[in-house]
Amino acid sequence: MSNPPSSKRLVAIPASPIRKLVPYAVAAKQEGIKVYHLNIGDPDIETPQVMLDALKNWSKNPIGYSQSKGEPIFIDALKTYYHRLGYQFIGGDDIQVTSGGSEAISMAFFATCEGGDEVLVFEPLYTLYNSFAAINNVKLVPVRTSADAGFHLPPRIEIEKKITKKTKAILICNPSNPTGTVYTQQEMDTLFEIAKNHNLFLLSDEVYREFVYDDRRHISVLDYMKKLPEKIILLDSLSKRFSICGARIGTFISKNKAIMDGVLRIAQSRLSVGLIDQTIAARLTSVPRSYFKKVHREYQKRRDVLYEELKKIPGVSLKKPEGAFYAVVTLPIRDSEHFSKWLLTDFRFKNQTVMVAPAPGFYVTKGLGKQEVRMAYVINISELKKAIEILRRALIEYKD
Ligand SMILES: Cc1ncc(COP(=O)(O)O)c(C=O)c1O
């Protein structure tokens, strides 16, 4: 019998719906087509100047490894950041620096589950949870949320129904990618009570913490950490907060000593996060408040433009996102995978087109999201308006 070309678990890892159409976008660009990128949350907002200065003033020679746990000056800066948010109980021992929030998510699955264990998630969900679950041999058990309810949580009973002997954790994304939903105090209380009563870990991905719109307040899982120190894990990232996606900086935060010791051993196996990246990120406490105010105002304006302009297109519907910089948008089509590809391969308006992320990959349940795409409002308002106009024309031309 011939050897299989790869492992079965390698085959099981899904392609990212955010990136899998990139070759078609590259081909379109090579033809001279302008592609408006609404597919990926890689913001056009400028990185804070103090962070760029750290790069400009780089003087360490040679560029060595950093410590596996994280560079001490960066861990100190992170402590200050969380203390300023009101979480003075976060100490250096509670922080593990990771290669983006991505590595923190993967570590969280590995640290809390045995192979075959279950983690409750709310779908639509951040697509890469599917990938990290597959890599760590964890089964995601989806709880459906609906656009009609603004993708807020279903009644507690619906969540508890999904808990089995194998359930080890609940993973939330707050504010949510892809829906933009921000959980209320009541919802967070419910999640905390479920985790406590069923002895589950509560894993909270809060990489969009600062991007909460209108009069909403973000309720962090850190608000509950002192009440359930062994079971709460915060997964965080600087990528979006400071527009430093390319610096690959995240954090894994917990008061559970066994877990922190264990994730450090994982971290030792990958040696360290980039020293240059952490030196840039260590400037986070010097970023002026005015930076956040400006960025927040800009995203909220973009959110409004996206919502108002899309609503005008016949057959298109969406809930107004409450936070983050994404929306799940229902289109008058049957197959968003086909439509998203067609936009790149076939459709042109004045030598331009739009790239969106088909939504099926943002679900665990097969067959959902077929009429939906996820859009990221990470381009400026003038471009965003043009992109939506192109989408409007595309929907007229598109034949299912
Ligand atoms: C919800 C969420 N979590 C985690 C990440 C990971 O980002 P990074 O690895 O750049 O920190 C992303 C990136 O888009 C995200 O949207």
Side-chain angles (χ1 to χ4, degrees):
M1 214 170 67
S2 63
N3 286 330
S6 72
S7 67
K8 283 192 201 128
R9 55 186 184 171
L10 183 64
V11 175
I13 296 175
S16 165
I18 303 167
R19 291 176 179 258
K20 70 181 178 185
L21 298 176
V22 166
Y24 302 107
V26 170
K29 285 178 197 172
Q30 277 165 357
E31 265 177 57
I33 305 300
K34 176 167 171 67
V35 179
Y36 291 90
H37 282 276
L38 300 179
N39 60 305
I40 187 164
D42 194 355
D44 67 334
I45 304 274
E46 287 185 354
T47 303
Q49 190 57 44
V50 284
M51 290 189 166
L52 296 175
D53 289 345
L55 199 55
K56 248 193 251 161
N57 302 333
W58 181 265
S59 64
K60 281 187 192 148
N61 187 0
I63 302 169
Y65 287 121
S66 163
Q67 295 186 22
S68 295
K69 188 172 176 51
E71 199 52 21
I73 53 155
F74 179 44
I75 293 182
D76 274 349
L78 282 166
K79 261 190 336 192
T80 306
Y81 165 78
Y82 291 110
H83 291 184
R84 284 184 190 166
L85 288 178
Y87 307 112
Q88 275 84 3
F89 58 86
I90 299 289
D93 290 348
D94 310 325
I95 300 174
Q96 169 65 52
V97 176
T98 57
S99 175
S102 304
E103 188 184 35
I105 296 162
S106 198
M107 282 176 168
F109 284 146
F110 195 87
T112 59
C113 295
E114 305 299 338
D117 280 344
E118 297 175 1
V119 173
L120 293 196
V121 286
F122 299 93
E123 65 179 358
L125 80 174
Y126 175 49
T127 177
L128 295 184
Y129 295 162
N130 281 322
S131 310
F132 291 123
I135 290 169
N136 290 287
N137 191 16
V138 164
K139 184 176 173 209
L140 296 184
V141 175
V143 177
R144 282 279 289 282
T145 62
S146 72
D148 290 344
F151 302 103
H152 280 276
L153 297 185
R156 179 174 175 159
I157 180 102
E158 297 298 320
I159 304 170
E160 289 188 310
K161 257 202 294 207
K162 302 271 180 159
I163 297 174
T164 72
K165 282 199 186 112
K166 289 195 154 190
T167 312
K168 289 286 157 26
I170 304 174
L171 169 61
I172 59 169
C173 183
N174 180 34
S176 162
N177 173 6
T179 62
T181 305
V182 178
Y183 294 133
T184 61
Q185 175 86 63
Q186 202 187 359
E187 286 174 301
M188 288 302 293
D189 287 350
T190 301
L191 290 166
F192 167 74
E193 277 162 27
I194 296 174
K196 188 167 167 232
N197 293 346
H198 296 268
N199 196 27
L200 304 177
F201 286 95
L202 181 55
L203 318 174
S204 186
D205 177 341
E206 301 185 4
V207 314
Y208 300 97
R209 177 181 309 113
E210 272 80 4
F211 307 132
V212 168
Y213 310 125
D214 310 317
D215 296 327
R216 289 180 186 83
R217 197 165 71 83
H218 179 250
I219 312 292
S220 172
V221 81
L222 292 176
D223 288 350
Y224 302 85
M225 198 172 250
K226 282 208 283 197
K227 288 191 239 166
L228 205 56
E230 298 295 305
K231 288 291 189 180
I232 285 182
I233 299 175
L234 171 69
L235 312 169
D236 215 343
S237 166
L238 273 68
S239 287
K240 320 288 171 164
R241 198 165 294 149
F242 299 103
S243 280
I244 52 167
C245 294
R248 311 307 307 129
I249 294 288
T251 54
F252 179 110
I253 294 190
S254 169
K255 286 269 169 201
N256 179 321
K257 189 163 174 348
I259 290 220
M260 293 312 286
D261 287 351
V263 293
L264 176 58
R265 293 195 298 276
I266 304 178
Q268 286 168 348
S269 72
R270 54 74 166 132
L271 309 186
S272 77
V273 169
L275 179 64
I276 300 177
D277 304 44
Q278 291 182 79
T279 307
I280 296 167
R283 295 282 177 97
L284 85 161
T285 48
S286 308
V287 176
R289 279 191 65 76
S290 54
Y291 175 85
F292 287 108
K293 279 201 179 145
K294 203 168 140 207
V295 172
H296 183 273
R297 213 179 307 128
E298 174 65 19
Y299 279 130
Q300 183 160 314
K301 264 197 260 163
R302 291 178 184 190
R303 186 275 312 253
D304 292 343
V305 167
L306 182 94
Y307 178 68
E308 295 304 330
E309 295 301 313
L310 283 174
K311 257 193 351 182
K312 290 181 196 160
I313 306 177
V316 172
S317 64
L318 74 160
K319 276 280 164 186
K320 195 173 196 174
E322 300 166 344
F325 40 63
Y326 306 95
V328 171
V329 184
T330 305
L331 303 177
I333 54 170
R334 276 200 297 248
D335 181 355
S336 55
E337 301 275 359
H338 181 265
F339 177 69
S340 304
K341 187 171 161 217
W342 173 86
L343 283 172
L344 297 169
T345 53
D346 289 65
F347 178 74
R348 271 70 180 125
F349 172 67
K350 294 188 183 164
N351 276 336
Q352 306 168 95
T353 192
V354 192
M355 185 167 181
V356 293
F362 292 82
Y363 287 84
V364 179
T365 310
K366 298 276 169 272
L368 295 182
K370 283 190 155 191
Q371 291 189 291
E372 298 164 359
V373 295
R374 187 202 69 169
M375 292 187 196
Y377 39 99
V378 288
I379 57 177
N380 69 48
I381 287 177
S382 143
E383 297 228 320
L384 191 57
K385 284 186 177 164
K386 284 185 202 153
I388 295 170
E389 172 57 15
I390 292 166
L391 181 77
R392 186 183 72 77
R393 288 174 183 269
L395 285 168
I396 295 169
E397 199 173 305
Y398 183 68
K399 299 278 171 279
D400 259 333

